[in-house]
Amino acid sequence: MTSAERIVLSSDHSAIQLRQAIAGHIAARGWVVVDIGPATPESTDYPTHGEAAAKLVASGDCRFGIILCGTGQGIMMAANKVKGIRCGVCSDTFSARMIRRHNDANMLSIGGRVVGEGLALEIVDAFLGAEFEGGRHEKRVEMIKAMEG
Ligand code: RB5
């Protein structure tokens, strides 16, 4: 994976600090961070932020997206409603690596109330450091795409 590619980051109010930590971490590794907020901690609705980030990935404006809410689940569900998005919630590095290798995931979701900052940064590194393997996995990803209509 080459760096200097754009990654969109978004979250709801529950994971602003962790999102900012991830932004600094990946920027230091050369990724271009497109942080679409929110910047302030007022309660907000995760579907709005998941959709906005997903649209930037689906349009090709950003290569990847990293999104966060309390569990990572709700914002992932919203992102996966956008055509072309394959987003998984990860709380471990193995899953983060495998959703790139086998599922060609283009978005990663993390639960800000589930994992601490240290593990979250390792999950991000595992996701961004892995490549889609293609081969037998290609057909299965194509099957997912075919369901999108
Ligand atoms: C917000 O309280 C919480 O519901 C949200 O961050 C997320 O966990 C939903 O999936």
Side-chain angles (χ1 to χ4, degrees):
M1 188 64 55
T2 60
S3 58
E5 288 188 282
R6 289 161 65 83
I7 302 186
V8 57
L9 295 190
S10 190
S11 72
D12 72 1
H13 54 278
S14 68
I16 291 177
Q17 263 192 307
L18 182 54
R19 192 190 79 231
Q20 290 169 343
I22 292 170
H25 180 76
I26 62 177
R29 282 159 170 70
W31 294 87
V32 177
V33 176
V34 180
D35 188 342
I36 60 170
T40 55
E42 294 81 34
S43 182
T44 184
D45 301 318
Y46 60 80
T48 307
H49 305 292
E51 181 185 22
K55 283 183 170 172
L56 288 177
V57 175
S59 70
D61 186 74
C62 293
R63 174 67 185 91
F64 293 116
I66 300 175
I67 53 179
L68 307 95
C69 65
T71 58
Q73 301 289 352
I75 201 164
M76 174 275 290
M77 291 176 197
N80 276 321
K81 293 295 182 188
V82 175
K83 186 174 180 180
I85 295 305
R86 289 176 302 285
C87 180
V89 180
C90 294
S91 301
D92 65 276
T93 56
F94 177 77
S95 298
R97 196 172 302 116
M98 296 311 284
I99 63 170
R100 285 289 304 126
R101 286 188 185 171
H102 286 193
N103 313 118
D104 199 16
N106 47 17
M107 292 187 73
L108 167 68
S109 184
I110 296 175
R113 293 173 177 158
V114 180
V115 298
E117 184 179 312
L119 177 56
L121 298 182
E122 289 191 9
I123 288 168
V124 167
D125 287 343
F127 179 80
L128 295 178
E131 298 273 8
F132 181 48
E133 289 175 3
R136 69 184 190 281
H137 306 294
E138 187 83 53
K139 174 189 160 201
R140 296 163 185 165
V141 172
E142 289 305 319
M143 289 169 74
I144 294 173
K145 290 180 184 172
M147 292 173 198
E148 293 177 323

